[in-house]
Amino acid sequence: MPKAFSSHHYWYSSILKSAKSVTQTSPDIDKPEPKLIYTYDNAFHGFSVVLSKNELEALKKSPGFLSAYADSVVTLDTTHSYKFLSLNTASGLWPASDYGKDVIIGVIDSGIWPESPSFKDDGMTEIPSRWKGICQAGQEFNSSLCNKKLIGAQYFNQGFRAAFPDDPIVMNSARDEGGHGTHVASIAAGNYVDGVSFFGYAPGTARGVAPRARLAVYKAVADGVDILSISLGAEEINLYENPLSIASFGARQKGVLVCFSAGNRGPSFRTIRTSIPWAIIVASGTVDRWFAGTLTLGNGKTITGWTTFPARATIRNLPIVYNETISPCNSPELLAQAPDQSIIICNLTMENTYFDFTMYYLPQSNVRAAIIISEDFSIQRSFSFPFPGVVISPTEARSVRLRSNNDAPIATIDFQQTILGTGPRAAPVLADFSSRGPGVSYEGILKPDIMAPGVLILAAYHPYTPRPTIGNNIFLSTDYTLLSGTSMACPHISGIAALLKAAHPDWSPAAIQSAMMTTANPLDNAGQPIREDGNFVATPLGIGSGQVDPNRALDPGLVYDASVQDLVNLVCSMNFTRNQTQTILRSSYNCSNPSADLNYPSFVTVFFRADQGRTLTRRFQRTVTNVGDGAATYRVKLEVPVNTTMRIRPETLVFRKKYEKQSYSLMIRYKADIEIQHRPGSVTWIEQNGNHTVRSPIMVSAGADFFG
């Protein structure tokens, strides 16, 4: 900034006036001066403005100009999940971190419903003095709604107003009109709330992952937050064009750890748009919880089906009807042929019938309930079940159909049941919607980084937004609802990061990220490799390092640390122009030592079509820091990808004291083969005579031009 100006705001205003004067003879002469909307002084220096194309061209000639990009739209990407993650009051990360006490989590989302019981400040101590944020009043949102739990709230909608001046803003405040932001915030750091359920399902005490952490909604780096949780996704654009990428780099410069949801565009490969190397990208998996309806046949046989029908319907000893002609249940005309007051068997494996259509048509019939045969796993991530019934598999259906052919077959269905544990299905399973790598905006770092619970997570919600329905015209509301998405997985990681920050206040963002990644579990609760929907083994392109394990992350043994300068060196290696590079880095760093080999807790090597048939070699250098209690020795174990050779030197790392660093090199040699596009492996350092294992996933993967 030139010394003649007292602030960046006045400098930018002067530049814009100059741009207007240059265009006085252009077609823009009758248009108003460019309108400065926001000035950015913390994560990066810049501003947002409404201006014409001619004014933009004039602006590009101003001293200090680096880059300009059009504004874009971002997309929005619990009572049990903490138990599934083994968080408990007796030992481990919760008591060690004092439940995240005084760590501040910033949530950038759709706002918050401040009256939710999850945001009461019962049991919270005084607000940390380092907090510099505000509670901004607005429409239906008084500043008094903030408290010792919800310590800040702010909204930024002037960009929308400028871009769409004729469109009304429904809620001109930080109040959440949709429920998404409320849900996300309560997962990360909601307070304790007893007696919560989703219409009888998933009953228990709701609490966030870090129940004693503070929440700040919308505002970020300048306020003093420690963790940023962002369940949003940008368009498919370059890192230097993506405001989330640029701002998150600035946050890392300030020591703030940033978490993003991976996105909900799976299961295809290369669907992670926000593949930011300096942020944690989070995939979504299931939990070991099954919402059940018990189907009891007339002979006493019981089948545990899936349902979330939101009421205690009376379905007892009713006749079962199976008619192959009407079993698709895909039209009112077909269902009109079913006997009144019966339980109809609907076979969704026939005629490509969709569950949602069946649920729409059934309330128009005179049947009392339905037994739905389906192999569609997506049904088990939806809260919508507007008609009494249960979903069972084709295998389970055989005994029901056999029974329905007997004389006077009957059945009973009991609802609102919740089953925990390994049955009927192992967990976690990688959600089919969870976006997969390689990353779109950058392929040199393996993404996603880690997986967390994100399927049917119960958390706080907007109480007046209709959620489940009964039939087609009864809309129910609830203070707590079930949602699925990587948006739900991301705040789990944000909350765990807050716990680790509280337990280890001297750890850097990179160390916290490393601790979570190297202790993550690639196995499910049955001891088998985590699978995808459809029963295929998941790869690091879907689950990253695996399912987060908070208690192991508290004591990881070794961490892969990385400084801001290391991230600068990475950006400098990306073959961007000088202005593109400085858009991310700002002017205070230089590119004298570019390096694409970031000290990261995972490995990826990418090949392209031009490499096909060639033998390629990739070398990595890594440095690990001993954060164990004292001296330690680690030996390496390699899981080598197929048709690949690996060499690591040395094979043993000896640490004489805590915080000592040791380095190793890894060589991966492989043939670029289109028939084997994605090959997983791993490097694991195992402590001798100790309890630590430090695992890093490896991925040999086809690059962008295989997907174009």
Side-chain angles (χ1 to χ4, degrees):
M1 180 181 69
K3 294 181 179 179
F5 299 97
S6 60
S7 70
H8 283 88
H9 180 86
Y10 287 114
W11 180 35
Y12 300 149
S13 298
S14 175
I15 291 173
L16 292 174
K17 288 180 180 179
S18 299
K20 178 62 179 179
S21 65
V22 170
T23 61
Q24 287 298 310
T25 59
S26 75
D28 300 319
I29 188 170
D30 295 327
K31 293 184 178 180
E33 288 190 358
K35 182 181 178 182
L36 188 63
I37 300 174
Y38 292 116
T39 298
Y40 308 111
D41 288 322
N42 298 295
F44 59 92
H45 288 302
F47 57 90
S48 56
V49 64
V50 177
L51 76 176
S52 69
K53 290 183 178 180
N54 289 330
E55 289 165 342
L56 175 58
E57 292 305 313
L59 185 65
K60 289 180 179 179
K61 299 173 184 177
S62 303
F65 177 87
L66 284 177
S67 59
Y69 302 103
D71 195 9
S72 60
V73 177
V74 295
T75 54
L76 298 172
D77 281 347
T78 111
T79 60
H80 177 68
S81 60
Y82 72 91
K83 295 178 184 176
F84 183 52
L85 296 175
S86 299
L87 287 167
N88 65 89
T89 59
S91 62
L93 186 52
W94 259 359
S97 67
D98 202 2
Y99 304 88
K101 181 181 177 181
D102 286 346
V103 176
I104 302 172
I105 303 175
V107 178
I108 300 177
D109 211 283
S110 63
I112 199 162
W113 191 265
E115 294 88 354
S116 170
S118 288
F119 308 126
K120 290 183 177 180
D121 60 1
D122 299 350
M124 302 296 293
T125 56
E126 292 301 315
I127 297 171
S129 59
R130 73 180 189 280
W131 171 245
K132 306 300 180 186
I134 66 170
C135 189
Q136 183 181 6
Q139 181 183 354
E140 299 182 23
F141 198 108
N142 296 325
S143 59
S144 60
L145 289 170
C146 289
N147 54 29
K148 296 174 185 177
K149 162 60 74 174
L150 177 61
I151 62 175
Q154 204 163 356
Y155 61 100
F156 303 92
N157 56 23
Q158 294 306 308
F160 178 87
R161 284 181 178 274
F164 306 100
D166 297 327
D167 289 0
I169 291 179
V170 177
M171 184 59 64
N172 192 29
S173 71
R175 182 171 291 280
D176 184 10
E177 272 296 286
H180 188 273
T182 300
H183 201 269
V184 165
S186 67
I187 292 172
N191 212 333
Y192 300 86
V193 183
D194 293 330
V196 170
S197 75
F198 178 77
F199 299 95
Y201 299 95
T205 298
R207 71 200 77 186
V209 175
R212 287 293 177 249
R214 317 284 179 161
L215 281 167
V217 179
Y218 278 159
K219 188 67 174 178
V221 180
D223 290 347
V225 302
D226 302 296
I227 312 293
L228 271 177
S229 186
I230 306 176
S231 291
L232 304 171
E235 295 179 348
E236 189 173 322
I237 51 179
N238 294 309
L239 292 174
Y240 55 79
E241 298 175 291
N242 185 345
L244 299 177
S245 165
I246 298 166
S248 61
F249 189 93
R252 278 294 292 265
Q253 288 177 304
K254 304 280 187 178
V256 177
L257 186 147
V258 185
C259 303
F260 283 98
S261 53
N264 303 324
R265 299 173 184 86
S268 297
F269 290 113
R270 204 170 181 266
T271 48
I272 296 178
R273 293 179 177 178
T274 312
S275 50
I276 299 172
W278 39 87
I280 303 177
I281 308 300
V282 187
S284 174
T286 63
V287 298
D288 63 337
R289 179 172 61 191
W290 185 270
F291 299 134
T294 300
L295 174 65
T296 304
L297 303 179
N299 63 356
K301 179 180 175 60
T302 62
I303 298 173
T304 301
W306 172 271
T307 186
T308 53
F309 179 70
R312 191 176 174 182
T314 301
I315 308 295
R316 309 200 67 80
N317 300 321
L318 296 179
I320 305 172
V321 174
Y322 178 70
N323 182 321
E324 187 169 338
T325 301
I326 65 175
S327 65
C329 299
N330 57 3
S331 74
E333 291 75 22
L334 279 180
L335 289 168
Q337 302 175 41
D340 294 353
Q341 304 299 307
S342 63
I343 300 175
I344 188 173
I345 298 176
C346 295
N347 189 352
L348 270 59
T349 65
M350 299 174 62
E351 299 186 16
N352 295 319
T353 303
Y354 292 101
F355 177 76
D356 290 346
F357 291 166
T358 299
M359 283 288 118
Y360 178 76
Y361 295 131
L362 280 168
Q364 302 176 39
S365 71
N366 291 320
V367 301
R368 288 278 300 277
I371 299 169
I372 298 169
I373 305 169
S374 178
E375 297 177 297
D376 182 2
F377 293 118
S378 68
I379 295 172
Q380 298 164 16
R381 66 166 193 262
S382 171
F383 64 84
S384 178
F385 213 116
F387 190 78
V390 291
V391 179
I392 63 175
S393 71
T395 301
E396 294 166 329
R398 293 191 187 103
S399 60
V400 180
R401 285 197 299 244
L402 181 64
R403 181 67 185 166
S404 68
N405 291 327
N406 295 340
D407 294 335
I410 59 173
T412 294
I413 304 176
D414 293 303
F415 298 94
Q416 297 177 322
Q417 300 177 5
T418 302
I419 299 173
L420 306 176
T422 56
R425 189 180 184 189
V429 172
L430 173 62
D432 62 342
F433 58 77
S434 188
S435 292
R436 268 62 161 182
V440 172
S441 54
Y442 185 69
E443 295 181 314
I445 299 291
L446 178 59
K447 298 291 178 178
D449 293 299
I450 201 164
M451 187 173 76
V455 176
L456 291 178
I457 303 301
L458 183 66
Y461 204 67
H462 186 309
Y464 305 127
T465 298
R467 292 309 293 165
T469 63
I470 295 178
N472 295 329
N473 58 3
I474 300 175
F475 297 87
L476 306 177
S477 66
T478 176
D479 291 329
Y480 290 81
T481 197
L482 299 164
L483 290 181
S484 298
T486 55
S487 286
M488 287 63 252
C490 177
H492 280 88
I493 296 298
S494 305
I496 294 166
L499 297 175
L500 291 170
K501 180 69 175 178
H504 299 287
D506 57 330
W507 279 11
S508 69
I512 292 173
Q513 177 176 353
S514 173
M516 288 191 283
M517 289 178 62
T518 60
T519 58
N521 194 347
L523 306 179
D524 61 26
N525 58 0
Q528 299 299 311
I530 293 172
R531 309 187 84 81
E532 303 186 13
D533 282 346
N535 215 31
F536 300 104
V537 173
T539 76
L541 293 176
I543 65 173
S545 298
Q547 173 84 352
V548 66
D549 187 333
N551 293 326
R552 287 193 62 219
L554 174 65
D555 182 20
L558 307 176
V559 295
Y560 294 79
D561 211 346
S563 66
V564 173
Q565 186 60 53
D566 294 328
L567 295 174
V568 169
N569 295 341
L570 174 67
V571 175
C572 293
S573 73
M574 293 181 178
N575 295 320
F576 296 156
T577 67
R578 182 178 182 275
N579 282 357
Q580 291 166 350
T581 299
Q582 287 194 321
T583 297
I584 298 173
L585 302 184
R586 303 163 66 167
S587 58
S588 56
Y589 292 97
N590 63 66
C591 281
S592 60
N593 188 30
S595 174
D597 193 15
L598 182 66
N599 196 44
Y600 208 75
S602 64
F603 302 87
V604 64
T605 178
V606 179
F607 62 91
F608 301 93
R609 287 190 183 275
D611 300 321
Q612 191 169 328
R614 297 171 53 199
T615 298
L616 305 177
T617 301
R618 177 75 191 275
R619 292 179 172 84
F620 302 88
Q621 187 75 20
R622 292 290 188 269
T623 299
V624 287
T625 303
N626 177 25
V627 293
D629 290 332
T633 299
Y634 287 81
R635 288 189 60 82
V636 74
K637 176 184 177 182
L638 297 179
E639 178 191 353
V640 182
V642 297
N643 288 2
T644 302
T645 58
M646 297 198 322
R647 186 183 68 203
I648 196 165
R649 294 290 185 271
E651 295 182 357
T652 301
L653 299 176
V654 179
F655 300 89
R656 293 165 295 179
K657 58 184 179 180
K658 189 174 184 177
Y659 300 129
E660 184 177 351
K661 299 178 184 293
Q662 294 290 343
S663 298
Y664 68 90
S665 62
L666 173 67
M667 182 274 294
I668 302 177
R669 180 173 289 128
Y670 62 97
K671 187 174 181 180
D673 187 351
I674 193 173
E675 299 298 325
I676 315 175
Q677 292 189 10
H678 308 294
R679 309 172 221 175
S682 64
V683 172
T684 304
W685 292 98
I686 302 172
E687 185 180 13
Q688 305 299 289
N689 303 316
N691 298 318
H692 299 112
T693 58
V694 184
R695 181 181 178 275
S696 295
I698 294 171
M699 201 70 209
V700 177
S701 181
D705 57 357
F706 282 91
F707 302 92

